[in-house]
């Protein structure tokens, strides 16, 4: 009788592969591009600074009402390198000042064009010869700020999200949640969820948890799904509350704490973006939105090449006849000169 494994099985070492991937990723660092959109005064810059504990807008010039009326939609990029416990993150914030400030609020073409341009640049780099150091500037997530003052989505909100929902992961937020009572927030969330389904808007869907995930992650994922759209408050001010210094807003009636989960969903949003779903946002961007763009680009490229070949097939006989006529005229002129 022959034993296929004459020696006892020993430790080979491929169980350390996750550690190798982790070390390589940490050494290389991570890229993440976050777009923020919504009308002025919704606290977009304050929230971004609160999320990443940085000041990306220190050089920003504040416009008065007259300047905002004449302003068109712009695309402004802010890039900052953040390091925490040895992990490096290159964070790019794409701001869209001017959106929602004009009387005609359907001018979001610069925003869709920008997203397409990043796909096009990545597609060109990916198709080139030097693919070792491709910069990923694709937009991985768009935080869309919905005003708390209405009774749901406005027409501009619906049209904007429908223009972008097949290009980028959209996460809707209820801005300035401290303007509403908890009961009003619940009603507004329910209304927004109903209208998102009604108008067929594809917002970012949290992936289903695998069975082998730990209970803490499953509970976090359940809470995230239940509280969307996130009702958020941002603040860069430290105030005194219950003998502790916390980030929040001081009002005559009390203090709103940004990181108190009974006051708003800021902590849940931060956990979702940074702790649990940043990698999934990048995966969906690559596997879904970019692949849609890529397949469209290939189809267009193929149909364009086919059109050119057909055009050349049609034009070639005409060019040949014109060349024959030109040669004949030159020969006649040459005989006349002699």
């Amino acid at each position: 009788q022959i034993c296929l494994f004459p020696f006892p099985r020993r430790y080979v070492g491929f169980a350390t592969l996750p550690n190798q991937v982790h070390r390589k990723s940490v050494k290389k660092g991570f890229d993440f591009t976050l777009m923020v959109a919504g009308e002025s005064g919704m606290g977009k810059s304050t929230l971004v600074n609160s999320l990443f504990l940085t000041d990306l807008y220190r050089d920003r010039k504040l416009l008065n009402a007259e300047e905002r009326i004449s302003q068109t939609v712009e695309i402004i990029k802010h890039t900052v390198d953040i390091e925490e416990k040895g992990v490096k993150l290159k964070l790019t914030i794409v701001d869209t000042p001017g959106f929602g400030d004009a009387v005609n609020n359907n001018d979001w073409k610069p925003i869709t064009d920008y997203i397409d341009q990043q796909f096009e640049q990545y597609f060109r780099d990916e198709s080139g010869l030097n693919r070792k150091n491709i910069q990923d500037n694709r937009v991985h997530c768009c935080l869309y700020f919905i005003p708390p003052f209405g009774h749901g989505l406005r027409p501009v909100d619906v049209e904007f999200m429908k223009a972008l929902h097949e290009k980028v992961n959209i996460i809707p937020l209820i801005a300035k949640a401290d303007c509403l009572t908890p009961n009003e927030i619940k009603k507004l969330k329910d209304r927004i969820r109903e209208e998102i389904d009604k108008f067929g808007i594809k917002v970012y869907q949290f992936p289903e948890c695998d069975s082998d995930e730990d209970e803490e992650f499953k509970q976090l994922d359940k809470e995230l799904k239940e509280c969307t759209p996130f009702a958020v408050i941002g603040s860069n001010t430290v105030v005194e509350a219950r003998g502790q210094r916390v980030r929040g807003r001081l009002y005559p009636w009390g203090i709103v704490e940004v990181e108190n989960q009974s006051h708003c969903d800021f902590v849940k949003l931060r956990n979702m973006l940074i702790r649990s779903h940043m990698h999934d946002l990048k995966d969906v961007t690559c596997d879904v939105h970019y692949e849609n763009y890529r397949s469209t680009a290939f189809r267009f490229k193929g149909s364009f090449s086919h059109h050119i070949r057909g055009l050349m097939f049609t034009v070639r006989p005409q060019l040949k006849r014109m060349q024959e006529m030109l040669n004949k005229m030159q020969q006649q002129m040459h005989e006349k000169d002699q």
Side-chain angles (χ1 to χ4, degrees):
Q1 188 176 10
I2 300 173
C3 180
L4 295 178
F5 299 100
F7 304 103
R9 294 193 182 191
R10 294 193 179 98
Y11 177 72
V12 177
F14 54 78
T16 63
L17 281 174
N19 296 333
Q20 295 177 35
V21 174
H22 174 73
R23 284 197 300 269
K24 185 176 181 181
S25 299
V26 169
K27 185 177 179 181
K28 185 180 178 182
F30 299 89
D31 296 324
F32 190 73
T33 301
L34 179 69
M35 175 179 279
V36 291
E39 64 185 55
S40 298
M42 290 291 102
K44 301 189 296 294
S45 57
T46 304
L47 183 76
V48 169
N49 288 336
S50 302
L51 282 170
F52 298 99
L53 298 178
T54 185
D55 187 6
L56 292 171
Y57 299 87
R58 62 174 67 91
D59 299 325
R60 182 181 60 168
K61 177 190 173 186
L62 296 176
L63 303 178
N64 58 37
E66 184 180 353
E67 290 172 323
R68 285 206 303 270
I69 290 173
S70 61
Q71 184 188 28
T72 56
V73 178
E74 290 184 89
I75 301 293
I76 299 177
K77 287 174 59 177
H78 305 270
T79 302
V80 61
D81 294 317
I82 304 173
E83 184 171 349
E84 183 180 23
K85 295 182 180 179
V87 180
K88 298 177 183 177
L89 173 67
K90 181 183 178 183
L91 174 68
T92 302
I93 303 296
V94 181
D95 203 354
T96 57
F99 173 76
D101 293 340
V103 175
N104 179 15
N105 283 340
N106 63 357
D107 187 19
W108 46 75
K109 195 171 185 302
I111 300 174
T112 56
D113 286 348
Y114 177 82
I115 296 172
D116 286 337
Q117 285 164 11
Q118 306 317 305
F119 282 151
E120 182 183 351
Q121 183 62 49
Y122 192 88
F123 178 72
R124 220 180 296 136
D125 293 343
E126 192 181 47
S127 306
L129 296 175
N130 184 15
R131 292 177 290 178
K132 294 182 72 174
N133 299 311
I134 298 178
Q135 292 292 322
D136 185 6
N137 293 316
R138 296 171 295 183
V139 180
H140 301 115
C141 177
C142 175
L143 299 180
Y144 184 65
F145 288 69
I146 300 168
F149 316 116
H151 300 284
L153 297 178
R154 303 165 301 169
V156 64
D157 301 327
V158 174
E159 294 301 321
F160 176 81
M161 287 194 281
K162 289 181 77 171
L164 266 70
H165 67 172
E166 293 189 346
K167 299 176 183 289
V168 67
N169 298 306
I170 298 176
I171 297 177
L173 308 178
I174 299 174
K176 293 182 176 285
D178 48 342
C179 298
L180 304 172
T181 65
N183 190 41
E184 289 172 336
I185 289 175
K186 185 180 182 304
K187 287 183 179 178
L188 184 56
K189 284 186 176 188
D190 292 340
R191 182 67 184 271
I192 290 173
R193 279 194 289 260
E194 289 173 6
E195 292 180 334
I196 284 173
D197 292 337
K198 175 184 174 183
F199 294 109
I201 299 170
K202 301 172 187 174
V203 296
Y204 173 67
Q205 297 295 317
F206 295 100
E208 295 298 325
C209 287
D210 296 329
S211 57
D212 59 346
E213 293 285 358
D214 57 68
E215 292 303 318
E216 182 186 356
F217 185 83
K218 288 180 180 178
Q219 182 61 30
L220 173 64
D221 188 72
K222 182 182 176 183
E223 291 175 0
L224 291 176
K225 290 176 180 176
E226 289 175 349
C227 77
T228 54
F230 298 100
V232 294
I233 305 165
S235 175
N236 298 321
T237 306
V238 176
V239 296
E240 191 85 20
R242 302 184 307 277
Q244 296 180 340
R245 293 173 62 79
V246 297
R247 281 192 299 153
R249 292 183 176 274
L250 181 63
Y251 294 101
W253 45 264
I255 295 173
V256 175
E257 299 176 38
V258 169
E259 297 182 337
N260 188 330
Q261 297 195 45
S262 63
H263 290 185
C264 70
D265 299 326
F266 173 84
V267 172
K268 292 186 176 68
L269 174 64
R270 185 177 63 189
N271 288 340
M272 188 276 295
L273 276 178
I274 301 169
R275 265 186 68 189
S276 58
H277 288 78
M278 179 180 282
H279 205 281
D280 187 66
L281 287 163
K282 296 186 68 170
D283 285 346
V284 174
T285 299
C286 184
D287 299 339
V288 179
H289 300 302
Y290 175 65
E291 282 303 315
N292 289 340
Y293 173 85
R294 194 166 172 266
S295 60
T296 304
F298 274 125
R299 283 200 303 270
F300 176 77
K301 189 177 179 181
S303 61
F304 183 74
S305 301
H306 179 74
H307 176 71
I308 292 297
R309 283 196 298 270
L311 189 63
M312 290 302 295
F313 183 78
T314 306
V315 171
R316 192 179 289 117
Q318 299 177 4
L319 292 174
K320 186 176 180 181
R321 285 196 297 271
M322 290 177 65
Q323 186 64 43
E324 290 173 353
M325 291 176 61
L326 184 62
N327 292 340
K328 189 175 181 180
M329 290 174 62
Q330 288 177 342
Q331 187 178 0
Q332 289 175 353
M333 291 176 65
H334 181 68
E335 291 174 353
K336 186 177 179 181
D337 291 340
Q338 288 180 346

